[in-house]
Amino acid sequence: MEPIEESKDTKKSGKGNSEKRKLEANKELERERTKNLQNSDMPKTDKGETHIESSKGVYEIKDQLGQGSFGAVFMVKRESDRKHFAMKCESIHVKKQILAHEARVLIALNMLNSVHFAELVDLGKLKNRFAFIVLKLVGMNLWDIRIRLPNRKYTLNTALKIGEQTLEGIRDLHRVGFLHRDIKPPNFAIGREEDSTHHIIYVLDFGLSRKICSKGVDLRSPRTTCAFRGTTRYAALAAHDMREQSRKDDIESWWYMFAEGIVSDLPWKTFKGTDRDGVKAEKKKLRDDKNAMKNLFTNFGCYDQMSAILTYLDSLSYQNIPDYDYVYNQIISAAQANGCSDNKSVDWDKSVDYKGPKYKTGEAYIVKQLQ
Ligand SMILES: Nc1ncnc2c1ncn2[C@@H]1O[C@H](COP(=O)(O)OP(=O)(O)OP(=O)(O)O)[C@@H](O)[C@H]1O
């Protein structure tokens, strides 16, 4: 699989080469040590630790679904009703504990009743080992779906429907007062056929999310400088410039992800995650050189709309709340121009009409009672 070059949460260093190498080697050792500690904190199914208990119920650990810097994610079965869920476990040896933060974001989102977020069903702790949250189980992520398609390409109809749902998901996250700050295809997944949610797209992973609203304040004041947050390929220009991100920057990252869904290969596809300046230059070129934008989208019949969205996003400043409905209307305009009807099937389920959720226009931008 072609990996997405990651570049998260780092600061550029002005150190000399040998010092840098030494630092890197030490960091690598430390990472290895922490990873071993973290692994030993996780449930030990091979040693008979097959059940995890919370105050609400008992979960049998089935398969491991994924691993991250935090610990691991398991598929579990709830004993009481034999339903399957995902259990995300965070070792106590993780330096930056984020699970409690993720749980807070999910609780706010569950109150919103948006379809785009996995329900948080339980949470708990195993003393001196790990904390866990239990979530609705979702299906394949958008990255894995695309790279399994012929020529790793979505049809335009599918790319536009994904654009519509992911935009709505991000808007809803903003409505409860959080930025995501790591918008990328692996952080969105479809639901599962078993519970008929496989046409719904869910937003995952709130590890880098940041609370931007508090009582009576629609947006926190920006810090003068920030560490880079996000993934180079999809990072907004503000993130490249180490500036504070706001709602518009999540939507700019969404634009790069959306554009990739349409054309498959972004001009900076082969750049390494560490080459942030190179990627930034390519992103700037899309703005400065009309032909670059034209060449990217003309064959896909949506140059006007993609160009209009990016021009609009670039006109926004830190404080502005984006007009999500305007962006959505551009997607609809592209769909109409290219004969993509509302129920035309999507690439991951070709045999039936599409029955995914429709974007709801006119929603309140900020849900005050959730702040
Ligand atoms: N609700 C879920 N249902 C099914 N699988 C899940 C669920 N949540 C997470 N996973 C799986 O676990 C993996 C890691 O989870 P998640 O994306 O939340 O962690 P992460 O913080 O992104 O990890 P990383 O450190 O790699 O960024 C996902 O890629 C996915 O495969």
Side-chain angles (χ1 to χ4, degrees), residues 75-98:
M75 186 199 280
V76 295
K77 189 167 84 182
R78 189 161 61 190
E79 293 257 288
S80 58
D81 57 5
R82 309 177 76 77
K83 275 193 177 159
H84 287 87
F85 296 97
M87 179 182 273
K88 189 167 180 177
C89 303
E90 180 183 69
S91 150
I92 57 155
H93 287 101
V94 171
K95 254 198 202 145
K96 278 190 196 152
Q97 302 276 320
I98 50 160

Side-chain angles (χ1 to χ4, degrees), residues 88-348:
K88 189 167 180 177
C89 303
E90 180 183 69
S91 150
I92 57 155
H93 287 101
V94 171
K95 254 198 202 145
K96 278 190 196 152
Q97 302 276 320
I98 50 160
L99 205 65
H101 170 68
E102 275 209 74
R104 267 195 301 277
V105 181
L106 282 162
I107 288 166
L109 286 164
N110 288 174
M111 285 165 72
L112 186 65
N113 275 332
S114 165
V115 290
H116 299 292
F117 302 92
E119 187 196 353
L120 176 73
V121 295
D122 202 352
L123 71 179
K125 252 185 196 143
L126 228 74
K127 205 162 179 250
N128 297 327
R129 297 265 305 280
F130 59 87
F132 63 87
I133 56 176
V134 181
L135 299 168
K136 175 196 156 48
L137 193 60
V138 298
M140 221 193 278
N141 72 54
L142 292 185
W143 179 265
D144 289 341
I145 291 177
R146 185 172 68 82
I147 62 158
R148 281 167 176 75
L149 291 171
N151 301 319
R152 301 175 160 206
K153 276 188 179 6
Y154 288 127
T155 55
L156 181 64
N157 171 61
T158 297
L160 295 176
K161 287 183 164 62
I162 288 175
E164 179 183 334
Q165 284 207 47
T166 49
L167 174 70
E168 186 169 60
I170 300 167
R171 180 203 65 186
D172 288 347
L173 178 65
H174 292 175
R175 291 175 65 214
V176 297
F178 289 92
L179 295 183
H180 191 282
R181 302 197 303 173
D182 199 16
I183 298 296
K184 59 179 177 183
N187 282 341
F188 294 86
I190 58 170
R192 296 168 78 231
E193 202 167 352
E194 288 86 332
D195 56 15
S196 301
T197 56
H198 57 306
H199 288 194
I200 301 177
I201 296 176
Y202 294 87
V203 187
L204 302 177
D205 191 2
F206 305 98
L208 287 188
S209 68
R210 179 172 164 84
K211 183 129 177 66
I212 47 165
C213 302
S214 53
K215 276 216 157 51
V217 180
D218 287 347
L219 184 64
R220 285 159 82 168
S221 305
R223 292 164 294 181
T224 41
T225 175
C226 319
F228 179 84
R229 292 282 188 277
T231 299
T232 305
R233 186 182 290 187
Y234 308 98
L237 293 177
H240 280 282
D241 293 339
M242 310 259 196
R243 282 183 280 122
E244 188 78 270
Q245 297 187 54
S246 71
R247 297 169 176 92
K248 72 172 172 57
D249 302 302
D250 266 356
I251 305 300
E252 185 183 327
S253 288
W254 166 87
W255 188 93
Y256 301 127
M257 177 176 82
F258 182 39
E260 184 181 59
I262 294 170
V263 305
S264 303
D265 294 331
L266 289 172
W268 52 93
K269 167 192 158 165
T270 56
F271 286 54
K272 288 210 172 311
T274 45
D275 187 4
R276 284 196 223 135
D277 291 342
V279 172
K280 179 181 159 189
E282 289 294 319
K283 287 173 183 167
K284 287 205 144 224
K285 198 166 143 193
L286 272 187
R287 278 103 168 157
D288 301 339
D289 175 356
K290 263 205 157 27
N291 285 330
M293 181 74 98
K294 270 210 164 102
N295 292 340
L296 196 57
F297 293 110
T298 299
N299 287 343
F300 298 91
C302 53
Y303 162 74
D304 289 341
Q305 294 83 3
M306 290 306 284
S307 160
I309 297 173
L310 194 58
T311 305
Y312 167 66
L313 294 175
D314 285 347
S315 75
L316 301 176
S317 56
Y318 176 82
Q319 284 79 9
N320 293 137
I321 294 176
D323 184 346
Y324 306 89
D325 291 358
Y326 168 80
V327 178
Y328 163 70
N329 284 326
Q330 293 297 331
I331 302 177
I332 290 307
S333 152
Q336 283 165 353
N338 291 281
C340 305
S341 61
D342 274 1
N343 59 358
K344 192 167 178 176
S345 68
V346 281
D347 297 340
W348 64 86

